[in-house]
């Protein structure tokens, strides 16, 4: 159903974004990759997606803290592939600490990458999507778009904001074949979470295994990670014809985190 469509996946050089790029490419979607990484890593991903799935793949070096870069990324997709059909706003970072004393620089960076970047990308992609009467926008939010956790003020604020943005974009575009939804994962084993495990094991003097067990146990009914390819599968579903009237909603994939 999405064969031949063109997708931008921000932050797709690692973790969830990379898995979404694989899942969409496996369905025949051309992919514009984005995210940080050295030249050999990026060339490797471009070549792997291209040879494995036979789709067109390119890379935008846009920095999600820079609105002009983001507009250039949408322009690049339109120029290289002809149009932007699917936009996955996935790039994100995390930094933890209590609100009093939380780094102002980190706050600004998290709001820029985890929230404002999605606004800039959606704003630039919408006119073309509306003109062609087709668009699938997927915002990778988090359970932290639905509930809070201590020490995550910027992340929780950004992800709640992203859920709000998702609803407004859906409401504004109901006259088109254009959907906008947010995926809200719980713990997914990626470099972003590895860093949190590492920080906590250093701070608490425990092993990574102990911290992992505690982290999963504190939050989720299911004491296991969601795998990145599950998020990829959900993104493919949201782009499928079966999901064409799912819009403005949040889908938690969180091992029961938000059931409590
Ligand atoms: P990750 O660290 O593995 O990947 C993050 C990606 O974003 C990388 O490709 C990185 O290069 C890119 N990125 C970071 N800053 C960027 C910038 N300024 N410009 C462009 N690209 C940038 O992290 P992940 O765990 O795969 O996270 C992906 C998304 O999923 C994030 O939005 C995160 O908040 C969300 N999420 C993750 C989890 C989890 O448990 N891992 C849970 C819920 C939500």
């Amino acid at each position: 159903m999405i064969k031949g469509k063109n997708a931008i996946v921000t932050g797709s050089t690692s973790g969830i974004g990379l898995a979404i790029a694989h899942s969409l490419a496996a369905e025949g979607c051309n992919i514009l990759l984005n995210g940080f990484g050295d030249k050999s890593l990026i060339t490797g991903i471009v070549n792997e997606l291209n040879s494995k799935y036979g789709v067109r793949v390119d890379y935008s070096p846009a920095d999600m803290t820079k609105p002009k870069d983001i507009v250039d990324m949408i322009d690049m997709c339109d120029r290289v592939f002809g149009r932007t059909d699917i936009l996955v706003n996935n790039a994100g970072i995390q930094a933890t600490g209590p609100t009093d004393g939380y780094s102002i620089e980190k706050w600004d960076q998290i709001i820029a990458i985890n929230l404002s970047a999605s606004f800039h990308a959606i704003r630039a992609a919408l006119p073309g999507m509306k003109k062609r009467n087709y668009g699938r926008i997927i915002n990778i939010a988090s359970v932290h778009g639905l509930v809070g956790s201590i020490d995550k003020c910027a992340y929780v604020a950004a992800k709640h904001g992203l859920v709000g943005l998702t609803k407004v974009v859906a409401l504004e575009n109901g006259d088109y074949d254009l959907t906008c939804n947010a995926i809200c994962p719980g713990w997914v084993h990626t470099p972003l979470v590895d860093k949190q495990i590492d920080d906590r094991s250093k701070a608490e003097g425990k092993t990574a295994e102990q911290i992992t067990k505690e982290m999963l146990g504190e939050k989720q009914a299911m004491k296991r990670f969601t795998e990145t390819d599950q998020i990829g599968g959900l993104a493919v579903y949201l782009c499928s014809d079966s999901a064409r009237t799912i819009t403005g909603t949040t889908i938690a994939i969180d091992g029961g985190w938000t059931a409590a």
Side-chain angles (χ1 to χ4, degrees):
M1 277 170 286
I2 52 172
K3 193 171 163 45
K5 302 279 190 217
N6 307 315
I8 300 175
V9 186
T10 70
S12 46
T13 53
S14 171
I16 293 172
L18 180 57
I20 292 173
H22 270 273
S23 297
L24 292 173
E27 297 297 318
C29 239
N30 302 316
I31 305 289
L32 185 63
L33 294 162
N34 160 260
F36 296 146
D38 62 29
K39 202 165 181 279
S40 64
L41 172 90
I42 290 158
T43 311
I45 299 172
V46 170
N47 291 342
E48 188 190 358
L49 290 174
N50 180 262
S51 60
K52 208 166 165 185
Y53 309 111
V55 296
R56 296 172 68 194
V57 186
D58 216 317
Y59 167 74
S60 157
D63 179 340
M64 292 298 115
T65 63
K66 299 191 172 132
K68 183 174 179 310
D69 278 20
I70 298 170
V71 173
D72 288 348
M73 174 184 72
I74 306 290
D75 285 348
M76 181 183 171
C77 190
D78 292 347
R79 199 177 59 250
V80 173
F81 296 149
R83 56 182 200 278
T84 303
D85 302 306
I86 296 167
L87 170 64
V88 183
N89 291 305
N90 165 79
I93 58 165
Q94 173 65 285
T96 58
T99 308
D100 50 346
Y102 193 86
S103 155
I104 292 169
E105 199 189 5
K106 278 287 165 210
W107 171 276
D108 287 342
Q109 210 185 359
I110 289 181
I111 297 298
I113 299 170
N114 295 18
L115 174 58
S116 301
S118 301
F119 159 72
H120 293 296
I122 292 169
R123 184 177 183 277
L126 269 177
M129 289 179 169
K130 286 163 77 166
K131 201 167 124 203
R132 293 183 297 274
N133 190 34
Y134 182 88
R136 296 287 178 265
I137 299 170
I138 300 172
N139 297 322
I140 306 303
S142 166
V143 284
H144 287 116
L146 305 170
V147 296
S149 285
I150 59 162
D151 289 344
K152 294 188 175 175
C153 59
Y155 191 84
V156 169
K159 295 299 189 180
H160 273 71
L162 187 55
V163 167
L165 175 65
T166 302
K167 292 176 184 176
V168 172
V169 172
L171 289 173
E172 288 177 355
N173 291 286
D175 288 338
Y176 302 93
D177 182 9
L178 200 166
T179 67
C180 181
N181 292 291
I183 293 178
C184 297
W187 291 123
V188 188
H189 204 184
T190 68
L192 181 138
V193 167
D194 275 337
K195 188 177 174 302
Q196 290 177 65
I197 294 171
D198 202 39
D199 290 348
R200 252 179 82 166
S201 45
K202 276 184 198 136
E204 295 175 30
K206 294 177 183 164
T207 65
E209 289 70 34
Q210 281 172 310
I211 294 295
T212 302
K213 214 171 155 207
E214 283 175 23
M215 275 169 57
L216 289 165
E218 279 161 12
K219 299 290 188 182
Q220 298 193 178
M222 296 176 133
K223 312 287 184 287
R224 56 181 185 265
F225 285 107
T226 293
E227 301 298 333
T228 56
D229 63 343
Q230 292 177 252
I231 314 283
L234 188 48
V236 167
Y237 171 69
L238 284 173
C239 293
S240 75
D241 216 31
S242 306
R244 65 189 181 279
T245 57
I246 298 179
T247 195
T249 198
T250 54
I251 301 185
I253 173 164
D254 66 356
W257 183 324
T258 51

